[in-house]
Amino acid sequence: MRPHGGLAAGRASRVSWYERDMAARAVTEEKLGAWLIKCDPRADPELLETLVVCSARITSRCVVRGYRASMMKKGDRVLLWVSGIGRATRGIRGLGHVTGAVDETAGGLCVPVDIPVFASALTDADLRAAGVDDLEVQRMPAGSNPSWVSRQQWERIEPLIGECTG
């Protein structure tokens, strides 16, 4: 017979590693450095054409309904991540900002953005070489939009951005 407060009672009061991990990763205003909008040029041929023209701008992207989409607001920093074309070439292809409220369209939710496309990518390989290997999009490439970058991650990414805007 177990004494009162034994193992079963201890389990009920413990927080699982998953719950701790999820709480630590939850996006808050204080933690947010930038939103990260992912897109796959294989699934969006128009995007591929846009990426070829370095003076192009992304003006809208779809996002998934949820607390993250509801947090997005005008003026928030947003990065464009292009995926699906291999580790060597996937990466950040633009930096801009949210220009308005997330809006319901026939196809779902869209966020208006102004993201100038970089002349060259800040690739996943470039990021990893600079010690940036902990982005949500690097850990879970198939995650939904929007993803996010913490303030600490942004501080490591920001100095690398200048090399891509020329």
Side-chain angles (χ1 to χ4, degrees):
M1 184 153 112
R2 262 187 250 199
H4 182 69
L7 185 60
R11 280 191 186 152
S13 65
R14 285 190 210 146
V15 175
S16 74
W17 67 268
Y18 177 78
E19 292 167 314
R20 279 192 313 271
D21 193 47
M22 293 310 290
R25 291 184 186 178
V27 183
T28 65
E29 292 279 334
E30 295 77 32
K31 293 180 184 177
L32 181 66
W35 294 110
L36 186 142
I37 302 292
K38 298 176 286 190
C39 45
D40 185 343
R42 295 173 304 179
D44 186 351
E46 287 181 27
L47 174 67
L48 194 53
E49 291 175 27
T50 300
L51 294 175
V52 173
V53 181
C54 65
S55 62
R57 297 177 110 73
I58 305 297
T59 58
S60 179
R61 294 304 301 167
C62 292
V63 294
V64 173
R65 186 178 313 280
Y67 86 97
R68 291 181 182 191
S70 67
M71 285 180 64
M72 297 180 90
K73 64 184 182 313
K74 185 176 183 175
D76 284 351
R77 186 180 303 120
V78 62
L79 295 163
L80 176 69
W81 178 273
V82 176
S83 60
I85 51 179
R87 180 171 279 199
T89 55
R90 71 180 183 156
I92 298 171
R93 290 299 305 266
L95 168 64
H97 60 278
V98 175
T99 59
V102 175
D103 191 29
E104 185 88 34
T105 67
L109 292 181
C110 286
V111 61
V113 294
D114 179 22
I115 306 174
V117 174
F118 293 159
S120 62
L122 177 55
T123 67
D124 181 59
D126 296 335
L127 290 164
R128 289 176 188 276
V132 181
D133 61 358
D134 58 344
L135 297 176
E136 184 177 56
V137 72
Q138 291 170 312
R139 293 188 322 264
M140 300 183 326
S144 60
N145 273 332
S147 185
W148 71 294
V149 172
S150 73
R151 287 181 190 257
Q152 291 81 15
Q153 291 167 327
W154 172 248
E155 288 172 5
R156 292 183 282 144
I157 293 170
E158 188 177 24
L160 306 172
I161 296 286
E163 301 168 19
C164 302
T165 58

